[in-house]
Amino acid sequence: MKRYKKKEMFSLLKTLEKANDTVWKSMAANPPGITDVLIQCQENAVDMGNYLETLGAEPASAVTLLESYCETLYQISIKAPDENACRKWFKKARKELREIADILQRTLPKDRREIVFLPYKAAMWDSLESIWAAAKADADCDAYVMPIPYFDKKPDGSLGEMHCEGDQYPGYVPLLNWQEHDLEAWHPDQIYIHNPYDECNYVTSVHPAFYASRLRAATDQLIYIPYFIHQNDTVKEMYCTLPGVFFADVVVLQSEKVRAQYIEYFQKITGIKENLDKKFLACGSPKFDARALYGKEELPEEWRRLIWQDGKKRRVIFLNTHLNLLMAPYCGAFFEKLQTIFDVFCQNRSVVLWWRPHPLSEATAKSMNPEALARYQEIVQGYRDEKWGIYDDTPDLHRAVELSDAYYGCRSSVIELFKAAAKPVMVMKLR
């Protein structure tokens, strides 16, 4: 039993009762008009009865009453506009509607909130996981995770290869298949998203069926949580009116300072000022919660051998490279910088380099700078083949943060995770 359907049925019963009162008051003045209203009431009652029949035996008596109610409306239609002849039938219709409401109140199952999480990149699941965990633990809530597909974008902006990363989530997270569920028909109470771009991203696009502009009609409340952390609580204006922000009923943000900036920029660009205190909430970022949820997953054996030698853990430096570096005119200097970094760490085996590039690096090169793709892939493959450092393209960012001793690399929201863990940070410069 879907909660929104239950609410819908009680709302419909109230509407039918009001319609019957209206017909009674205007019966003599507008006989043709009341016929149309009575026909519409019958059709609505039939639709409700058909739906209740799908629920089994418990509300069956309500179906019988709905059939009787339809017959009552027919008697009103053939006796109108004679008020004296119709009076007892209107009383009967009112009584039937109230008895139906009473039966439904007693027989329909207790309300349970239904929440659906729609991650697209497994590596970004940490921006939703702690909220899913809380919802899953709520005895009055059913929480579902449905990874949605996304496309690489071609250089001309059209959709390219489709991906769905449902096989890359932690084993303790039950998953739904996106092809087997129609969200509009389902209409869960809440939908959570972490991708705000819809068609506005130059590198990837979630499947258009899951654009925020469409999801808004498929739920009572669309909630957007950024998959990233705003560095130093500073927000760029462009992030504040992306489709996910605009269409969301609620935007969950990492701090009051960030919230204030979202409200300021959103008002400035859209002109909307109403209800922004309810739309933008400062509840913290689940990405910070993810460190507490980190379960110390097993390391690949070759990584373990690099980090622990003679029973002692070597120092580990986390190298983070952002996808922006693969765009012209940066890529040449970026490739040179990578080679310099590799030379330094290869010669100093007392420290382990843990390289974790942005998960959309190759997709960015394909879409924005195809000429750089082959060279980047050659560098990645060479690094992996030499096996003196760790190359991490897994979805689990927090394992790397937990086991690393310091951060080196591009300006990125990952820096905030290292700062929260009280670990040193050094920002890379190309030259």
Side-chain angles (χ1 to χ4, degrees):
M1 177 67 200
K2 305 302 180 187
R3 190 160 79 147
Y4 91 98
K5 288 295 292 185
K6 185 174 179 179
K7 290 166 56 180
E8 189 179 81
M9 283 191 289
F10 282 110
S11 176
L12 178 57
L13 289 172
K14 289 182 180 178
T15 300
L16 290 175
E17 191 167 347
K18 289 179 181 178
N20 292 347
D21 290 343
T22 300
V23 169
W24 170 249
K25 292 174 183 176
S26 60
M27 184 167 52
N30 185 16
I34 68 169
T35 300
D36 292 339
V37 174
L38 291 170
I39 291 172
Q40 185 63 55
C41 289
Q42 280 185 319
E43 291 176 350
N44 288 334
V46 169
D47 288 343
M48 182 186 292
N50 289 338
Y51 178 74
L52 288 173
E53 283 182 336
T54 69
L55 302 180
E58 284 195 346
S61 56
V63 176
T64 302
L65 274 171
L66 283 165
E67 292 170 350
S68 176
Y69 170 72
C70 287
E71 175 61 25
T72 302
L73 296 182
Y74 172 71
Q75 293 297 327
I76 292 172
S77 70
I78 63 176
K79 291 176 171 55
D82 186 338
E83 291 187 7
N84 289 328
C86 291
R87 189 182 306 274
K88 72 172 184 177
W89 295 104
F90 274 107
K91 289 183 179 179
K92 186 172 186 289
R94 185 179 298 110
K95 181 182 178 183
E96 287 166 338
L97 290 175
R98 292 177 180 176
E99 287 180 358
I100 291 166
D102 181 64
I103 291 169
L104 297 185
Q105 192 68 50
R106 286 186 287 104
T107 61
L108 293 182
K110 181 183 176 182
D111 290 348
R112 290 178 61 83
R113 282 187 305 140
E114 292 187 313
I115 303 177
V116 178
F117 296 84
L118 300 180
Y120 86 109
K121 286 289 293 178
M124 299 171 183
W125 168 236
D126 61 347
S127 62
L128 298 174
E129 183 170 11
S130 63
I131 296 177
W132 164 78
K136 183 173 177 289
D138 187 338
D140 295 322
C141 178
D142 293 320
Y144 305 92
V145 181
M146 188 165 75
I148 59 176
Y150 68 95
F151 295 88
D152 296 330
K153 279 196 170 180
K154 298 178 182 178
D156 64 2
S158 62
L159 300 181
E161 183 180 359
M162 188 178 84
H163 310 272
C164 191
E165 300 183 352
D167 60 340
Q168 298 181 33
Y169 288 77
Y172 55 80
V173 182
L175 303 178
L176 299 181
N177 187 325
W178 68 276
Q179 294 174 298
E180 298 175 359
H181 298 274
D182 181 343
L183 283 173
E184 290 188 17
W186 181 355
H187 201 92
D189 296 282
Q190 294 177 328
I191 292 177
Y192 280 81
I193 59 174
H194 63 184
N195 181 293
Y197 296 106
D198 285 5
E199 71 280 4
C200 298
N201 195 329
Y202 295 110
V203 177
T204 61
S205 169
V206 298
H207 193 297
F210 301 100
Y211 282 173
S213 57
R214 293 191 59 178
L215 292 175
R216 189 177 195 181
T219 181
D220 290 346
Q221 192 175 55
L222 180 63
I223 302 173
Y224 162 61
I225 302 179
Y227 66 83
F228 49 84
I229 300 170
H230 292 286
Q231 295 179 63
N232 300 315
D233 279 349
T234 301
V235 180
K236 293 182 179 178
E237 185 176 300
M238 61 168 286
Y239 289 112
C240 300
T241 53
L242 291 167
V245 175
F246 184 82
F247 289 108
D249 298 292
V250 175
V251 179
V252 177
L253 299 166
Q254 68 198 56
S255 68
E256 286 290 347
K257 184 177 178 181
V258 167
R259 174 179 177 271
Q261 293 169 81
Y262 266 80
I263 291 176
E264 177 187 351
Y265 289 137
F266 190 83
Q267 285 181 337
K268 172 185 172 183
I269 299 170
T270 67
I272 298 172
K273 298 181 180 180
E274 295 79 16
N275 299 316
L276 297 189
D277 284 345
K278 296 180 180 179
K279 180 182 179 76
F280 296 99
L281 302 180
C283 300
S285 171
K287 292 182 77 73
F288 290 117
D289 301 333
R291 183 168 177 246
L293 293 173
Y294 167 68
K296 300 190 174 12
E297 289 81 355
E298 284 297 316
L299 283 175
E301 185 56 35
E302 62 185 67
W303 296 8
R304 182 176 297 280
R305 287 198 300 268
L306 285 171
I307 297 174
W308 281 275
Q309 293 188 351
D310 300 324
K312 295 182 180 179
K313 181 180 178 295
R314 298 162 69 191
R315 286 178 297 165
V316 178
I317 305 300
F318 181 99
L319 172 62
N320 179 36
T321 55
H322 201 274
L323 48 81
N324 290 343
L325 296 180
L326 288 164
M327 300 180 191
Y330 305 109
C331 59
F334 171 49
F335 295 154
E336 291 179 11
K337 186 70 172 184
L338 275 180
Q339 193 56 59
T340 300
I341 294 169
F342 294 165
D343 288 345
V344 169
F345 279 90
C346 183
Q347 294 169 19
N348 185 358
R349 295 303 179 89
S350 64
V351 181
V352 179
L353 183 66
W354 189 313
W355 182 24
R356 184 181 171 87
H358 190 287
L360 291 176
S361 293
E362 286 203 16
T364 298
K366 286 180 184 177
S367 176
M368 306 296 293
N369 192 11
E371 295 81 4
L373 179 60
R375 177 58 181 148
Y376 179 69
Q377 290 175 327
E378 179 184 338
I379 291 172
V380 169
Q381 193 58 52
Y383 177 78
R384 301 184 74 164
D385 289 345
E386 291 179 12
K387 299 185 183 300
W388 51 262
I390 293 171
Y391 180 82
D392 185 0
D393 58 358
T394 71
D396 190 355
L397 165 64
H398 295 274
R399 173 175 58 184
V401 176
E402 185 75 13
L403 294 175
S404 296
D405 297 289
Y407 175 99
Y408 177 65
C410 301
R411 294 189 182 277
S412 161
S413 62
V414 180
I415 288 176
E416 301 302 316
L417 299 178
F418 274 82
K419 287 164 63 176
K423 295 183 178 182
V425 169
M426 178 180 290
V427 176
M428 179 177 71
K429 295 183 178 180
L430 290 186
R431 298 187 186 281

